[in-house]
Amino acid sequence: MLTEKIKNTFRGCFVWESIKIEKSSIKICICIIGIIISAASIVYVNLLINKLKEREEKWINLYAKTLEYVSNEKEYSQNFTFILQEIIIPNNYIPVILTDEHKIALEYRNIYQLEKITSEREKKNILQRRIENMEQQYKPIKILVVKGKLNQPPQYNYIYYENSYLLKELQYFPYIQIIIILIFGLIMYAGFLYLKKIEENNTWIGLAKETAHQLGTPLSSLIGWLEHLKNDEQFKNSAFVEELEKDIDKLQTITERFSQIGSPVNNFQQENIVNITKEVLEYIEKRIPTDIHLELVTIPTKSLDISALVNKPLYSWVIENVCKNAVESLSGKGFVSIKIIKANHNQVFIEIRDTGRGLMKNEFEKVFEPGYTKKKRGWGLGLTLCKRIIEQYHRGKIFVKESELGKGTTFKIILSEN
């Protein structure tokens, strides 16, 4: 009855598969919308750029024809004044360079790079480089400045030009816009993950406290019945009462563990990892089939003083959960080995290897996800809790080191000595 209540509490709060499907669908939709917005922005800006290019080309052609007209106009007229004021002077945004037939710069407009340069030699070098760059972008416009006479050929000048600074900036606009959208999206996503993490933590705390509360009431009753059996002459000093007392103590430990989830855990101490692990294995060994063998190995060999900074009840819970999962994967027969290694850099490694059914590569991360289980009656929360205990409380790491279908799995835990 109690177990069903706890299961219903977890299942009522988490519909894991539907949440995963909904999350993946939202991510896909956001990506598609982002791609559409980015593509539409680039296409629209490119259309504007093409229109501006056409407009600037027409303006430059008009500018060239105007210069050609002015060059061949012998007398000052009202037309000249109009052309000067309305066409030549207003060109204050398109960079242009007027050269002779040998690409020697005669005049230039809107070359802002030259504004602070006083050296004539340096100006000539800059203008020459700009002429070469402009020639690669657009074909220069040829204008007649002196009409040919009897024995004299006509003289031509050339107008070199490039896109205006406004047009250049506009070309980068969609990419800047995309970067801004990406930055904004990343900030929003980070905020969403932060809020989601807070919500998950609050949910875990609520579930853990509720589970501890649900266990507390029947546990108090069991303790009362145990005391009654101890005082009964028929059951006094019997073996089953002793084992029942151990199981009740175990339930009290479990209740204590659940009550610590979500609460500040401060009682971290230097503990002998070998002794704690041995105690857990001794408890499990009495409750598993005789064809399953447990082994504890230390490196250095026979070293019984490997310590780490841990919370003893929570660390024991992790070892118990991982070992129980290993035992359940053996189907009644097999081998579980726990190797405790004193590593360099003040670290301790605990490797738990079984000869069970193994995992596929894509399950290495999934086994730690809430609700993921292969057991018919499993909750899929054991390894999730282990990960939270090791990585959030102990600042360590737990992961699947290696696994092969039909041959077994090795889990690795990394803890710090201080």
Side-chain angles (χ1 to χ4, degrees):
M1 185 70 178
L2 172 64
T3 305
E4 287 303 318
K5 281 185 180 180
I6 298 171
K7 282 187 179 182
N8 289 333
T9 302
F10 280 101
R11 288 170 180 166
C13 292
F14 297 100
V15 187
W16 301 108
E17 294 303 320
S18 62
I19 288 173
K20 288 176 190 174
I21 293 168
E22 187 177 343
K23 280 168 62 181
S24 61
S25 300
I26 290 170
K27 287 178 182 177
I28 291 168
C29 288
I30 290 171
C31 289
I32 291 171
I33 291 168
I35 291 168
I36 291 170
I37 291 171
S38 302
S41 176
I42 292 170
V43 170
Y44 179 69
V45 172
N46 282 332
L47 288 172
L48 291 178
I49 288 169
N50 290 331
K51 288 181 179 179
L52 282 172
K53 278 183 179 179
E54 290 176 7
R55 182 181 174 186
E56 289 187 0
E57 284 179 14
K58 288 178 181 178
W59 177 266
I60 286 295
N61 284 315
L62 177 61
Y63 185 77
K65 288 177 182 178
T66 303
L67 285 178
E68 187 176 62
Y69 173 79
V70 170
S71 299
N72 290 282
E73 184 72 18
K74 293 180 180 179
E75 295 181 1
Y76 184 84
S77 65
Q78 290 183 350
N79 290 339
F80 183 82
T81 305
F82 174 80
I83 289 168
L84 189 67
Q85 291 179 347
E86 300 298 327
I87 299 176
I88 296 178
I89 294 174
N91 176 27
N92 57 2
Y93 61 95
I94 301 175
V96 293
I97 301 175
L98 179 68
T99 72
D100 60 14
E101 294 176 338
H102 305 290
K103 294 186 181 179
I104 304 299
L106 302 173
E107 296 289 341
Y108 61 86
R109 288 182 69 84
N110 307 319
I111 309 295
Y112 302 118
Q113 191 179 357
L114 302 176
E115 288 180 355
K116 296 182 180 180
I117 295 174
T118 55
S119 170
E120 291 298 325
R121 185 176 180 181
E122 192 175 352
K123 280 185 179 181
K124 285 181 181 179
N125 291 334
I126 291 172
L127 284 169
Q128 198 60 41
R129 287 197 297 270
R130 290 295 290 270
I131 289 168
E132 292 171 2
N133 291 334
M134 288 175 175
E135 191 174 17
Q136 292 177 0
Q137 293 182 46
Y138 295 103
K139 185 179 178 180
I141 299 172
K142 184 177 180 181
I143 61 174
L144 177 67
V145 291
V146 177
K147 294 180 180 179
K149 295 184 179 180
L150 291 174
N151 296 322
Q152 293 179 344
Q155 292 181 16
Y156 294 96
N157 285 350
Y158 292 86
I159 293 179
Y160 291 85
Y161 67 99
E162 62 186 9
N163 293 332
S164 65
Y165 294 103
L166 175 64
L167 193 57
K168 288 178 182 176
E169 290 175 1
L170 193 59
Q171 286 175 328
Y172 295 107
F173 175 74
Y175 304 103
I176 295 170
Q177 187 182 32
I178 290 168
I179 291 169
I180 292 170
I181 290 170
L182 285 174
I183 293 170
F184 180 73
L186 287 172
I187 293 170
M188 291 292 291
Y189 185 66
F192 169 75
L193 287 181
Y194 178 72
L195 292 174
K196 181 174 172 289
K197 190 174 181 180
I198 291 174
E199 186 180 351
E200 284 182 357
N201 284 335
N202 290 335
T203 306
W204 277 108
I205 293 167
L207 286 170
K209 300 294 184 187
E210 178 63 20
T211 303
H213 176 71
Q214 293 282 358
L215 287 169
T217 305
L219 188 56
S220 300
S221 178
L222 286 172
I223 292 170
W225 281 109
L226 178 63
E227 291 300 319
H228 177 73
L229 290 173
K230 281 182 179 180
N231 294 326
D232 193 319
E233 292 295 332
Q234 184 180 354
F235 300 104
K236 197 174 183 178
N237 299 324
S238 64
F240 93 88
V241 171
E242 185 180 344
E243 289 300 316
L244 180 61
E245 187 173 12
K246 288 181 181 178
D247 285 334
I248 290 173
D249 288 340
K250 185 65 179 177
L251 282 172
Q252 286 180 313
T253 303
I254 291 170
T255 305
E256 181 187 350
R257 289 168 179 170
F258 272 109
S259 66
Q260 289 188 48
I261 296 295
S263 302
V265 181
N266 299 318
N267 53 335
F268 285 90
Q269 295 179 356
Q270 285 288 337
E271 300 281 0
N272 190 317
I273 296 297
V274 179
N275 289 343
I276 299 173
T277 307
K278 192 181 292 184
E279 289 174 10
V280 174
L281 294 183
E282 286 173 357
Y283 176 82
I284 294 173
E285 197 169 19
K286 294 178 181 179
R287 289 159 177 81
I288 59 174
T290 54
D291 289 335
I292 294 177
H293 303 284
L294 304 179
E295 179 188 51
L296 179 62
V297 179
T298 60
I299 298 176
T301 309
K302 296 183 180 179
S303 175
L304 302 177
D305 190 24
I306 300 176
S307 62
L309 190 67
V310 296
N311 175 281
K312 184 177 177 180
L314 293 180
Y315 169 76
S316 301
W317 195 7
V318 170
I319 298 299
E320 185 181 328
N321 263 323
V322 178
C323 286
K324 280 184 176 179
N325 277 354
V327 168
E328 288 169 358
S329 73
L330 298 175
S331 302
K333 186 178 181 179
F335 185 81
V336 178
S337 171
I338 297 92
K339 188 186 293 182
I340 301 175
I341 305 166
K342 188 169 185 177
N344 296 326
H345 309 295
N346 297 321
Q347 288 183 324
V348 176
F349 299 159
I350 301 102
E351 295 184 359
I352 302 171
R353 181 176 65 86
D354 64 67
T355 56
R357 53 180 170 264
L359 298 169
M360 292 187 291
K361 196 78 174 177
N362 64 348
E363 293 180 297
F364 284 19
E365 292 292 333
K366 283 184 179 179
V367 293
F368 296 104
E369 292 179 3
Y372 185 83
T373 181
K374 289 186 174 181
K375 294 178 282 188
K376 291 181 180 178
R377 296 184 178 180
W379 296 356
L381 297 172
L383 289 176
T384 305
L385 286 169
C386 290
K387 190 174 182 70
R388 292 176 70 86
I389 289 167
I390 293 296
E391 296 190 358
Q392 291 191 15
Y393 292 137
H394 290 81
R395 306 300 179 191
K397 292 288 290 181
I398 180 171
F399 54 92
V400 178
K401 181 184 177 183
E402 56 187 6
S403 186
E404 190 175 346
L405 290 175
K407 292 188 177 180
T409 303
T410 302
F411 282 85
K412 186 170 184 177
I413 300 169
I414 302 176
L415 295 173
S416 176
E417 287 185 348
N418 45 47

